[in-house]
Amino acid sequence: MKLHFSRMVIIIVLSTALPFGRAFAQTGMYATTTGNTRFSSETPLENINAENKKSQAILNTANNELAIRMNMRDFVFPNKLMQEHFNENYMESEKYPTATFSGKVDNAPDYSKDGQYDVSATGKFTVHGVTKERTIKGKMKIEGGKITVNSDFDVALADHKIDVPEIVFVKIAQVIRVKSQYVLAPYKK
């Protein structure tokens, strides 16, 4: 996963360094460093919500490759103690600092035409050091030279070996709802 994301970054750097790079970057690569990823855990005893406004995403419209990366410590909770427990006890953010997705848009639209499209992306989704092949459905809106990608999907804690102590087991859902919105603009160096 890290290798694939690094390869995407190298492609971007090379595409902007070569003479034809600026045109390629403006027409083929779209990115953000301020993507919004939220998650919620809802149980009868407690609802837990957190938000990360620093998610990174890059889309190569020439080959439909999509890479997303977020630092786990960038999730903000309404309660600092929850944030501390999330990073230290559940996600082990020091050991597993990032979550990533690397894959391809399956049913890519014509990126040159404004509109809203149902899409999905299939690839490797890594959380807590565990990688799973996933297909994630979403919506893509192309408008004004920007591409907005929205998704809403579930993540089972057991799938990623995230352990919840018995004492708080009834306060944390075993399946977490994840919602994201990434507004991608043409990549410029």
Side-chain angles (χ1 to χ4, degrees):
M1 182 63 208
K2 288 180 185 174
L3 177 62
H4 187 73
F5 189 76
S6 297
R7 199 169 42 206
M8 290 287 291
V9 171
I10 290 169
I11 289 169
I12 291 169
V13 171
L14 288 176
S15 71
T16 58
L18 299 173
F20 60 85
R22 197 158 300 286
F24 176 74
Q26 290 177 352
T27 60
M29 298 292 228
Y30 290 78
T32 185
T33 58
T34 58
N36 186 293
T37 306
R38 299 179 315 277
F39 73 79
S40 60
S41 162
E42 296 182 5
T43 67
L45 292 181
E46 187 169 20
N47 292 338
I48 301 169
N49 299 292
E51 183 175 32
N52 181 333
K53 294 181 180 180
K54 298 178 182 176
S55 299
Q56 302 164 340
I58 186 162
L59 171 66
N60 181 338
T61 60
N63 62 13
N64 301 315
E65 286 187 347
L66 175 67
I68 298 167
R69 179 182 185 276
M70 65 200 69
N71 291 319
M72 300 313 291
R73 289 194 182 276
D74 288 335
F75 278 98
V76 177
F77 291 72
N79 174 321
K80 292 293 181 191
L81 186 58
M82 283 181 181
Q83 192 163 330
E84 183 179 316
H85 287 169
F86 169 80
N87 284 303
E88 293 178 9
N89 302 336
Y90 310 124
M91 295 310 297
E92 301 175 271
S93 297
E94 194 167 306
K95 187 174 181 182
Y96 309 109
T98 60
T100 58
F101 176 84
S102 177
K104 281 192 150 195
V105 178
D106 299 316
N107 46 343
D110 180 343
Y111 296 108
S112 67
K113 294 183 180 178
D114 284 0
Q116 186 159 321
Y117 307 93
D118 291 324
V119 295
S120 63
T122 300
K124 296 180 187 301
F125 179 61
T126 303
V127 175
H128 197 243
V130 177
T131 301
K132 297 284 184 179
E133 187 77 18
R134 292 283 307 261
T135 296
I136 298 173
K137 294 181 181 181
K139 300 260 185 211
M140 185 177 284
K141 182 178 180 182
I142 301 170
E143 183 176 55
K146 293 185 179 179
I147 300 172
T148 301
V149 180
N150 290 291
S151 63
D152 185 342
F153 61 98
D154 292 332
V155 177
L157 299 182
D159 287 352
H160 295 277
K161 299 182 181 174
I162 300 169
D163 297 323
V164 177
E166 279 187 44
I167 194 163
V168 292
F169 196 79
V170 294
K171 291 184 175 185
I172 298 175
Q174 296 307 295
V175 176
I176 304 300
R177 169 69 63 183
V178 178
K179 295 182 180 185
S180 64
Q181 181 179 53
Y182 307 123
V183 179
L184 308 173
Y187 179 79
K188 296 177 186 175
K189 185 175 179 185

